[in-house]
Amino acid sequence: MKTTVKTSGVSRRNFLKASALTSGGLLIGFNLFTACKSNAKPPVNIDQLNFNDFNAFIEIADNGYVSIYSPNPEIGQGVKTAMPMIIAEELDVPWEHVKVVQAKYDNKKYTRQVAGGSQSIRQGWDALRQTGATAKQMLVNAAAAKWGVSPDQCTARAGIISNADGKTLGYGEVALAAAKLEVPKDVKLKKPSEFTLIGTDAINVDLSKIVTGKPLFGLDYKAEGMLYVSVLRPPAFGKKLVSFDDRVTKEVSGVKEVHRFGDKVAVLATSTWAAMKGKKALLAEWKAEGSLESTADHDKILNGILDADDFDVRREDGNVARAFKEADEVLERTYHSPFLPHNCLEPMNFYADVTPERVHLVGPIQTPQWTAGRIAKLLNRDESDIELEMTRMGGGFGRRLYGDFALEAAEISNIAKKPVKVVFSREDDMTDGIYRPAIKYRIKAAIKEGKITGYHLKEAAINGNMYGLIPHFFPAGCIPNYKVSTQNYKSAITTGAWRAPYTNFLAFAEQSFFDELAEKLAKDPVQLRLELLQEVKGSSDEKIEYSGERMEQTIKLAAEKANWGKAKEGVYQGFAAYYSHNTHVAEVAEVVLEDGKPRVTKVVAAVDCGIVVNPTGAINQIQGGVLDGIGHAMYGDFSFEDGKPSSKNFDSYRLIRMQETPAVEVHFVSNELSPTGLGEPGLPPAGGAVANAVFKALNTRMYSQPFTKELEASTNELKS
């Protein structure tokens, strides 16, 4: 038998260039454009093309390739891919011909360069479409002028302009001429049915650089002459710096300078290791100003607030007091959540170089405009002096909204007269954070003749939590006598936005409460919610934010896809639905018992976020939000003792582990409505769905997070 040997056409040189010995093993890689065919041509190297400015968002090269600037900060929510997709769709250019560039902060060219509240796509949708469509029309107008025909006789598709005579011109051939034309005021946008790019899967534009370790993140940034900075901060909230001794610090190899600023001390060195080692060698004396708070104190304070009558009423419908007075039965429950740190994978960091000519800033920041303005004020500089470049962020979750680390870098550079990069250690990140506030909710419902006639939600929070729209979310409008009231305690512990602010814990509390109400009323939990939504459908109350119709459709989709109520033996289902950040989400969690302990095996999520720009990215966002919600609801615990955080690193702070992550199945409600946010809405219902499934499995209700702590306490109580 004759054997035929097929050769790959890969030269030894190309093979050796693409292969490497690592850790004693052979890692084989092929150049995909030369491995199969020795004469194959590589694709166009977009990075080496000469682009001509077209507008603030678009540059077009003479061969028709397009560079699109993504204006908003990228924290993993996918906007660096999705926002340029929206422009490219209306511009009608092939996605493979697009190079995406992270724009710098520029308040003249761009509006709302913010990553927060899951608003980037929602707020940018119309403007980005208009940008792409306007550019396309200008290109068509330029081609029509060159041919001497009316623009109405021309069409543009996939980067090529055609006329009725069959003549064609590429975008690059008319880009310069088009950029000089008057900008048309009214342009035609595509109908959703005409989309060819939006709604298709696009790979994250940074994926290759992420997996190959190319510099993208703030921690990757380096500049000539830059010194690394580690900052000694107060060891507890409520303490002030009295004095410090840096003699040993200055003997550490690599340490160059030590500076005090406010109640902090900066150690400047030639490496992060030297800076952090130098900081540990500092001797500092601190004093307390006022009381140093502990979690036990907060618990008593929040209970006291809930028991008092001094509340701010955020919304009140009907006569709540009478509804409770006339009720056949009243159900009242209290729910508690702890402080939580953000724990971004990439610790806080920022680069600053303050000179008489300019203030150059580079790093991961969710709020470039606010941060630039604060730094200008701090340094007594004109805001036009500030040049801020945004890097990709290794997580944000609200922590990088505040920019305290950027202000530190600017102040230290201004003192030292050198370029510096402030780098937090994980301990810095966890002990000097801006935490999710500790909260207690007390929810009370009046039941009369088998119906919910009254509802009162009271919130007590450290430093405040609920504002604005939250009182107008579900179940507002569903219950005739409805009241939401809030009060807070001012603390020295810094608190702020944490992924899905306001709703991240409230959704668990309310959705758990409604399951308990369903049990009282002998109704299926899904059916109870659907019945309540009938009261708000078609409502004329403009304050109500969610849509009864859209929530109903989302709930039905989740129940259908999860086979609600038909789980096989040994699988326990829990349901939750919530509206937040303009998006409706319903989730069904499935729990099994292993050695008597609950394990979440699957979550089915249904989502109405309007038009889905990039399905792959959208699914990833919901999956990430669900896992984040489950992990923190099950395990997240953080406390304070005498103003000092209880945990400093992951050896004592519990996160969800790989083997504990369930499968997350995502389904989208199909419609042609404008898109809404996805970075946060998947998180709030997750805790409620899991808690309701745990009840089905163990007949134990969850009233506090983390659930593992409450389950342990419940088990110990039963044993005793």
Side-chain angles (χ1 to χ4, degrees):
M1 182 176 178
K2 186 178 180 180
T3 302
T4 302
V5 179
K6 293 184 178 180
T7 58
S8 67
V10 183
S11 71
R12 182 173 181 273
R13 182 184 177 196
N14 281 345
F15 178 83
L16 291 174
K17 282 171 63 180
S19 306
L21 284 172
T22 56
S23 303
L26 183 64
L27 175 65
I28 301 176
F30 292 96
N31 182 324
L32 296 178
F33 296 98
T34 61
C36 299
K37 295 181 180 179
S38 59
N39 61 347
K41 293 182 179 179
V44 173
N45 188 338
I46 300 179
D47 290 331
Q48 293 182 0
L49 296 177
N50 292 318
F51 289 94
N52 299 300
D53 288 344
F54 199 85
N55 60 36
F57 292 88
I58 300 168
E59 293 176 344
I60 302 176
D62 56 10
N63 66 351
Y65 279 69
V66 179
S67 183
I68 298 179
Y69 283 82
S70 182
N72 282 35
E74 173 60 67
I75 53 175
Q77 81 279 46
V79 296
K80 192 175 177 182
T81 303
M83 296 181 90
M85 283 179 71
I86 297 168
I87 294 175
E89 176 67 75
E90 293 291 352
L91 181 60
D92 225 322
V93 64
W95 185 241
E96 59 269 22
H97 289 187
V98 172
K99 172 189 175 184
V100 176
V101 181
Q102 177 65 62
K104 293 181 181 181
Y105 161 63
D106 191 327
N107 62 1
K108 294 178 181 176
K109 287 184 177 180
Y110 310 108
T111 59
R112 201 189 180 277
Q113 285 184 278
V114 175
S118 300
Q119 296 296 300
S120 293
I121 296 297
R122 177 174 177 262
Q123 296 287 346
W125 174 249
D126 292 330
L128 294 171
R129 292 183 69 196
Q130 197 78 21
T131 294
T134 300
K136 182 174 77 171
Q137 187 61 55
M138 291 170 72
L139 291 162
V140 168
N141 291 349
K146 190 170 184 176
W147 287 321
V149 300
S150 169
D152 295 340
Q153 296 178 297
C154 305
T155 58
R157 185 182 298 274
I160 303 294
I161 305 162
S162 308
N163 67 17
D165 296 331
K167 294 180 180 179
T168 62
L169 284 169
Y171 282 2
E173 296 176 85
V174 294
L176 279 175
K180 298 173 184 176
L181 296 178
E182 183 178 345
V183 179
K185 293 182 179 178
D186 297 311
V187 294
K188 184 180 179 182
L189 300 178
K190 289 183 178 181
K191 297 176 183 177
S193 59
E194 298 172 324
F195 290 159
T196 58
L197 179 57
I198 289 175
T200 64
D201 293 325
I203 296 172
N204 185 313
V205 295
D206 285 336
L207 183 61
S208 176
K209 291 182 179 179
I210 291 171
V211 299
T212 56
K214 295 294 193 304
L216 274 174
F217 300 91
L219 281 177
D220 297 324
Y221 187 81
K222 296 178 182 178
E224 187 176 349
M226 180 184 84
L227 292 176
Y228 295 86
V229 180
S230 187
V231 177
L232 179 70
R233 301 174 181 87
F237 288 92
K239 285 197 171 183
K240 300 291 183 181
L241 180 63
V242 176
S243 63
F244 70 96
D245 183 342
D246 61 2
R247 284 174 292 181
V248 177
T249 294
K250 288 181 175 178
E251 293 175 359
V252 173
S253 177
V255 170
K256 296 297 182 183
E257 301 176 24
V258 179
H259 298 283
R260 174 175 180 167
F261 63 114
D263 287 304
K264 305 173 186 178
V265 182
V267 177
L268 285 64
T270 54
S271 69
T272 52
W273 173 249
M276 290 177 181
K277 189 176 179 182
K279 182 185 72 173
K280 288 182 179 178
L282 283 170
L283 298 175
E285 182 184 351
W286 308 90
K287 68 175 180 179
E289 288 195 356
S291 61
L292 299 176
E293 302 166 20
S294 299
T295 293
D297 303 326
H298 294 144
D299 196 55
K300 293 176 183 177
I301 289 166
L302 294 178
N303 284 336
I305 290 173
L306 288 175
D307 292 336
D309 295 323
D310 183 21
F311 271 79
D312 295 325
V313 177
R314 302 290 180 177
R315 178 180 176 124
E316 186 167 12
D317 302 336
N319 191 324
V320 175
R322 186 168 65 189
F324 283 108
K325 185 177 181 180
E326 297 175 353
D328 297 331
E329 187 176 2
V330 172
L331 179 68
E332 182 178 298
R333 295 290 183 262
T334 300
Y335 301 85
H336 173 252
S337 70
F339 290 95
L340 285 181
H342 292 82
N343 283 327
C344 307
L345 183 61
E346 176 193 22
M348 301 303 108
N349 66 90
F350 222 78
Y351 168 86
D353 184 13
V354 180
T355 66
E357 294 74 32
R358 67 168 184 169
V359 178
H360 185 207
L361 307 168
V362 184
I365 186 68
Q366 291 180 241
T367 50
Q369 182 172 3
W370 183 44
T371 301
R374 291 163 69 207
I375 288 175
K377 186 176 181 181
L378 172 72
L379 302 178
N380 195 26
R381 298 285 290 262
D382 193 285
E383 198 165 333
S384 61
D385 292 344
I386 310 295
E387 180 185 340
L388 194 156
E389 298 179 48
M390 294 176 282
T391 63
R392 189 179 181 92
M393 291 172 244
F397 313 119
R399 177 62 183 94
R400 288 187 160 101
L401 289 169
Y402 299 98
D404 48 294
F405 42 91
L407 270 73
E408 284 185 351
E411 188 171 0
I412 294 164
S413 176
N414 190 49
I415 293 169
K417 309 303 179 188
K418 292 180 178 66
V420 302
K421 183 160 78 171
V422 168
V423 180
F424 281 43
S425 65
R426 178 58 58 193
E427 289 82 2
D428 292 333
D429 228 24
M430 290 185 72
T431 60
D432 194 59
I434 296 177
Y435 309 95
R436 183 183 82 169
I439 303 168
K440 286 202 174 189
Y441 290 112
R442 184 166 293 167
I443 310 176
K444 186 164 67 169
I447 301 171
K448 185 174 178 63
E449 298 175 357
K451 291 186 177 181
I452 305 169
T453 56
Y455 188 90
H456 188 190
L457 169 68
K458 294 171 74 174
E459 178 198 76
I462 302 296
N463 292 336
N465 178 60
M466 182 186 287
Y467 305 103
L469 305 177
I470 312 303
H472 311 301
F473 288 2
F474 179 85
C478 297
I479 299 169
N481 305 292
Y482 172 81
K483 186 176 182 180
V484 176
S485 48
T486 67
Q487 192 52 271
N488 66 81
Y489 167 76
K490 295 295 182 183
S491 168
I493 296 170
T494 51
T495 62
W498 189 93
R499 191 174 188 178
Y502 321 131
T503 61
N504 49 53
F505 176 69
L506 175 59
F508 150 70
E510 288 195 308
Q511 290 299 299
S512 297
F513 187 76
F514 273 101
D515 253 44
E516 203 162 346
L517 276 174
E519 185 185 16
K520 284 280 184 187
L521 297 169
K523 290 188 177 183
D524 176 81
V526 170
Q527 191 56 40
L528 173 63
R529 289 165 174 85
L530 291 175
E531 287 178 8
L532 287 169
L533 287 170
Q534 303 314 305
E535 302 300 321
V536 78
K537 286 168 63 176
S539 172
S540 59
D541 187 342
E542 295 182 356
K543 290 183 179 179
I544 292 177
E545 286 293 308
Y546 69 101
S547 162
E549 292 82 359
R550 295 178 74 173
M551 182 61 86
E552 177 185 57
Q553 195 173 3
T554 306
I555 288 173
K556 288 181 176 179
L557 180 61
E560 173 198 339
K561 295 298 183 181
N563 291 316
W564 173 255
K566 301 174 184 177
K568 62 183 180 181
E569 187 176 353
V571 176
Y572 305 92
Q573 293 182 316
F575 180 83
Y578 211 73
Y579 167 89
S580 65
H581 304 280
N582 310 104
T583 294
H584 301 77
V585 180
E587 295 174 8
V588 176
E590 294 185 353
V591 164
V592 298
L593 294 178
E594 294 181 353
D595 297 327
K597 295 180 180 180
R599 182 170 74 86
V600 186
T601 58
K602 184 179 180 181
V603 175
V604 176
V607 183
D608 183 350
C609 61
I611 293 169
V612 179
V613 177
N614 180 10
T616 294
I619 290 169
N620 290 342
Q621 288 305 300
I622 294 299
Q623 289 174 329
V626 169
L627 295 179
D628 202 4
I630 292 172
H632 283 93
M634 291 285 288
Y635 311 111
D637 194 17
F638 200 75
S639 59
F640 290 85
E641 189 65 39
D642 294 329
K644 185 180 294 187
S646 58
S647 300
K648 294 183 177 182
N649 212 316
F650 294 137
D651 60 336
S652 56
Y653 182 79
R654 180 80 156 85
L655 290 169
I656 192 170
R657 294 168 181 157
M658 291 290 289
Q659 67 268 26
E660 294 164 340
T661 57
V664 181
E665 183 182 304
V666 183
H667 303 273
F668 294 99
V669 174
S670 180
N671 58 44
E672 295 186 352
L673 300 171
S674 295
T676 54
L678 281 176
E680 294 164 290
L683 185 148
V690 170
N692 292 332
V694 168
F695 171 74
K696 296 282 185 65
L698 296 174
N699 199 35
T700 301
R701 291 281 179 194
M702 300 291 100
Y703 297 109
S704 297
Q705 292 183 0
F707 298 160
T708 50
K709 192 174 181 179
E710 181 150 11
L711 285 168
E712 184 180 344
S714 177
T715 302
N716 291 338
E717 187 177 330
L718 287 172
K719 288 179 179 178
S720 63

